[in-house]
Amino acid sequence: MPKYNKPSADLVVDLINESNPSLPFPIETGKVLFTGLATRTPGEGEYQDTQIKVNAKNGTEYVGNKLLQYRRIDIGKLFRGTSIEIHRYSPANTSTSPYRLHQLLGDINAKYGLALTTDEVADLSFPAATDNYYPGIRTSKVNMVVASTSMAWKGTVEVRWVQAPQELQNLITQPELTGRLYPGGNDFSGAHPYVLDLEAYAIDFTETNAAGLNATGTIGSGIAAQVNAQQTLVDLLAQVTGKAYNMVSGNAGQPYGLFGCTYQKLALPNVLVPEANSRFYNSVVVLTYNHASNWGAGRLFMHHNV
Amino acid sequence: MSFQVASKDDLVALVNAKNSTTFTVADFDYSNPRVVAGSWQEELTDKNTAVRLLASEASAYQGNVVVLYDRLSLNALANISGWRVAADEPATTHDLIDAISIYTGIRFAPEDIEDVAITLDENGAGTAVISASPNSLGWIGNVNLPVVKGGALLDEQVTQPMLQGLNYPSASDADTYAEIYTYGYDFTTYTDQLIDLVEGTELVADDLTMVRDMLAAVDISSGKTLWNTDPESTEWSLAGAQIVKNGLNSASLPTNPNYKYVLGLQLRADLTIPKGTLYLHYNDPFDPNDF
């Protein structure tokens, strides 16, 4: 069986070579120009319905021209009994055309082994997808009409479009994702900021005055009662961890110096900080280490019950 | 007048144009041309050639006359686009006269140019030196002519202009073609079952019903509800189908290259719809864990 997935000019060039096996040089598509494509009436015992003149281009092995006769394939006959269906997602509204034919030509060629170009078929709009060919699925059809200028094809065949689910590939066009990071970055091979996130997570701060803190604040700032409440928190942190956590203003930016860091007090469970939700506690103070120095990174979770 | 016509034709045309005469080439005998520079017989002239035209015996004329004109320098041809020829292994420059005429229209006579050997490379390409004979009536000088292999006349070489095709999959253009019918179908869902069918055997028994069911499930076209296993039926019957191919797809088959495997079922010869060989395409089953 012949193969049809070649450009029309190539199909005709192959045909010339096959019918003329003794050519001194094979005809090549790039070295000839076809002109004067016309229909002809096949004579007695003939089926060749087309004529065309093949002209040698300058600088090739050939010179001159020759009038040829051959048959164009009727696409309707080739696909007799076969339904051409393209399943593809369309965002178009139900009452409007989902596609123009040229937009689906690549799909048609790939699925059915053709190589039709946009010059060879009329670019019709599919009608609104309401023909209900498959109940519950949007479908519509057009007649694909081959242009009279096609060298290898003629005729008409029905093409149906069927709404298909949206392609993930078309939605996720940025498959390279960024942002899954440890506080301070993922490179621990050299100097890395001290990561605070795990430091206080399991410590119970209920006995401090965390409950007295405002909803938001800055360590070392506020009225005396607030600063005192902050101090009880920091003191417990230092005691339990055995590290020199402090809120001395002169130590801001130094190791364990929390002066100037901001915090939020949040009731748990909380969608804003699902990572702080706990089956043991109903409140948390989330302190963010945001000093410009490079000593620390991340957040302290100070759980407590109120 | 044209530099492309034969030297004598052009010379006589020049005479006729200037003198309102109707001489033909055969009316004259021609002397050898004589180089002229600046003056001729004490008259100033810018022409480069003199030739004596003698009334030929066959003509109705008598006597002779010397005319002055310009022979063209071959060297100038190097400046004209299209000054090249393709020819099939010419030995000497005279072998190129016909090719030059075909490609450029310039009609050199053998007496216009020297007959010199041509050296060509293994591809049949090279450069020929075209030199005017001293006695050429139309030309002086010399020029390099690029030569490539070729020059075959399409009109002579294409002896079968009535081309055999383009062809439908069968000899008739009124069939439903099995090869086309399943070209766009994907049977990967059934790879495990299909891969075990044995090439070179007839499709029988459970395998026959299995393939019938697969077709009924995948088919969206006119035969969807018609596939059967009835050996008496001449339409859409798989009974008697031969497994002519099962395994890796191949570029030599008329199959869909998007698939790795293909099952070829040559349908019973007396089947009228569809006709030919059904190709069921399938791939390895998709494994989401295989990247």
Side-chain angles (χ1 to χ4, degrees):
Chain A
M1 189 193 95
K3 296 191 179 193
Y4 303 105
N5 55 353
K6 284 186 171 188
S8 290
D10 290 354
L11 290 175
V12 175
V13 164
D14 286 352
L15 203 54
I16 300 172
N17 289 321
E18 286 161 16
S19 291
N20 292 275
S22 56
L23 285 173
F25 312 98
I27 308 271
E28 294 175 39
T29 309
K31 294 182 174 179
V32 293
L33 179 71
F34 289 102
T35 56
L37 177 72
T39 57
R40 72 186 281 271
T41 305
E44 182 82 26
E46 295 175 357
Y47 56 78
Q48 286 82 355
D49 57 13
T50 304
Q51 71 174 34
I52 201 165
K53 187 185 279 182
V54 57
N55 305 270
K57 287 187 181 174
N58 277 352
T60 66
E61 301 93 345
Y62 283 102
V63 64
N65 62 72
K66 186 77 172 178
L67 193 64
L68 307 169
Q69 296 81 33
Y70 64 100
R71 167 167 59 191
R72 279 184 279 190
I73 297 282
D74 186 323
I75 196 164
K77 290 183 175 180
L78 186 67
F79 284 94
R80 179 183 290 101
T82 303
S83 305
I84 297 187
E85 252 182 37
I86 297 300
H87 294 240
R88 184 160 151 184
Y89 173 78
S90 166
N93 189 289
T94 311
S95 59
T96 57
S97 166
Y99 277 111
R100 295 182 70 79
L101 190 53
H102 280 187
Q103 294 173 292
L104 298 187
L105 201 54
D107 291 13
I108 295 169
N109 285 336
K111 185 171 179 185
Y112 294 98
L114 305 173
L116 295 168
T117 66
T118 51
D119 293 335
E120 290 181 292
V121 295
D123 189 20
L124 305 173
S125 274
F126 281 78
T130 55
D131 69 3
N132 212 33
Y133 182 76
Y134 292 126
I137 301 174
R138 290 170 55 204
T139 64
S140 73
K141 63 176 180 179
V142 291
N143 282 326
M144 181 162 80
V145 182
V146 178
S148 61
T149 50
S150 171
M151 280 173 56
W153 300 94
K154 64 176 187 176
T156 298
V157 74
E158 192 175 278
V159 174
R160 174 170 281 109
W161 166 82
V162 179
Q163 176 74 306
Q166 205 161 0
E167 291 269 355
L168 279 185
Q169 298 95 297
N170 295 337
L171 293 172
I172 302 176
T173 57
Q174 301 286 332
E176 187 168 319
L177 312 177
T178 55
R180 181 158 170 79
L181 293 169
Y182 284 108
N186 292 347
D187 182 4
F188 286 84
S189 60
H192 192 282
Y194 189 84
V195 179
L196 294 171
D197 292 60
L198 309 186
E199 187 91 305
Y201 197 90
I203 302 173
D204 182 352
F205 286 84
T206 306
E207 272 63 51
T208 69
N209 199 8
L213 287 174
N214 290 338
T216 62
T218 302
I219 299 291
S221 299
I223 60 172
Q226 283 292 304
V227 174
N228 286 338
Q230 295 161 6
Q231 188 70 59
T232 63
L233 219 64
V234 172
D235 286 349
L236 181 64
L237 179 65
Q239 286 164 3
V240 177
T241 60
K243 291 172 180 159
Y245 283 104
N246 67 82
M247 48 182 281
V248 178
S249 66
N251 289 346
Q254 299 297 314
Y256 310 109
L258 300 180
F259 184 87
C261 293
T262 56
Y263 60 85
Q264 258 189 309
K265 189 179 68 179
L266 298 161
L268 297 179
N270 196 309
V271 295
L272 293 178
V273 281
E275 63 272 36
N277 289 349
S278 163
R279 60 194 153 117
F280 304 116
Y281 304 104
N282 63 15
S283 183
V284 69
V285 172
V286 180
L287 181 147
T288 304
Y289 188 86
N290 49 9
H291 194 275
S293 88
N294 213 22
W295 171 74
R299 293 166 300 172
L300 285 167
F301 296 98
M302 293 180 280
H303 287 99
H304 55 275
N305 283 308
V306 293
Chain B
M1 307 316 105
S2 162
F3 70 94
Q4 289 158 296
V5 303
S7 299
K8 280 181 188 169
D9 288 345
D10 202 29
L11 177 57
V12 173
L14 295 174
V15 170
N16 286 336
K18 200 78 175 181
N19 299 284
S20 302
T21 50
T22 57
F23 293 115
T24 66
V25 170
D27 285 334
F28 303 126
D29 292 331
Y30 305 83
S31 74
N32 289 333
R34 177 100 172 248
V35 174
V36 172
S39 65
W40 175 253
Q41 294 180 344
E42 299 174 0
E43 294 287 329
L44 288 177
T45 178
D46 58 357
K47 302 298 174 213
N48 65 23
T49 302
V51 72
R52 187 184 301 274
L53 304 177
L54 305 95
S56 69
E57 272 189 40
S59 75
Y61 308 104
Q62 61 169 339
N64 68 79
V65 63
V66 174
V67 295
L68 297 171
Y69 67 106
D70 280 327
R71 283 188 289 180
L72 288 177
S73 167
L74 286 170
N75 305 53
L77 286 172
N79 302 317
I80 297 180
S81 173
W83 175 241
R84 55 184 154 65
V85 294
D88 193 13
E89 300 186 359
T92 70
T93 47
H94 278 192
D95 292 341
L96 290 174
I97 286 176
D98 190 45
I100 293 170
S101 156
I102 289 169
Y103 278 97
T104 69
I106 298 174
R107 269 66 163 186
F108 288 123
E111 60 267 27
D112 278 323
I113 58 175
E114 307 275 25
D115 196 13
V116 186
I118 305 170
T119 309
L120 298 172
D121 64 18
E122 67 273 18
N123 297 321
T127 301
V129 181
I130 305 295
S131 297
S133 302
N135 289 336
S136 169
L137 287 174
W139 302 96
I140 54 174
N142 61 71
V143 66
N144 286 341
L145 172 63
V147 180
V148 296
K149 189 171 179 63
L153 287 167
L154 267 181
D155 192 44
E156 288 177 3
Q157 300 296 340
V158 178
T159 54
Q160 291 296 328
M162 186 70 73
L163 307 177
Q164 301 307 303
L166 301 170
N167 289 322
Y168 291 92
S170 79
S172 164
D173 67 357
D175 290 335
T176 295
Y177 306 107
E179 294 84 353
I180 302 289
Y181 193 85
T182 48
Y183 191 97
Y185 292 158
D186 183 353
F187 287 87
T188 301
T189 320
Y190 307 105
T191 297
D192 290 344
Q193 294 100 296
L194 289 173
I195 201 92
D196 291 333
L197 295 175
V198 181
E199 191 173 307
T201 64
E202 184 179 328
L203 192 65
V204 290
D206 289 349
D207 290 343
L208 182 59
T209 19
M210 177 183 82
V211 173
R212 193 269 321 268
D213 292 346
M214 289 174 188
L215 274 166
V218 172
D219 196 356
I220 57 166
S221 300
S222 53
K224 177 174 180 58
T225 60
L226 304 174
W227 290 106
N228 64 79
T229 57
D230 179 357
E232 304 298 318
S233 170
T234 57
E235 293 187 0
W236 306 102
S237 172
L238 296 168
Q242 296 289 329
I243 302 173
V244 291
K245 166 77 192 175
N246 193 30
L248 287 176
N249 199 355
S250 153
S252 64
L253 294 170
T255 47
N256 190 332
N258 297 323
Y259 295 91
K260 182 175 175 184
Y261 306 106
V262 66
L263 168 71
L265 290 177
Q266 191 176 46
L267 300 173
R268 233 169 53 230
D270 64 335
L271 215 61
T272 55
I273 302 178
K275 286 186 91 69
T277 302
L278 277 180
Y279 288 102
L280 274 53
H281 302 86
Y282 54 104
N283 279 322
D284 285 322
F286 177 62
D287 179 358
N289 295 315
D290 182 18
F291 290 94

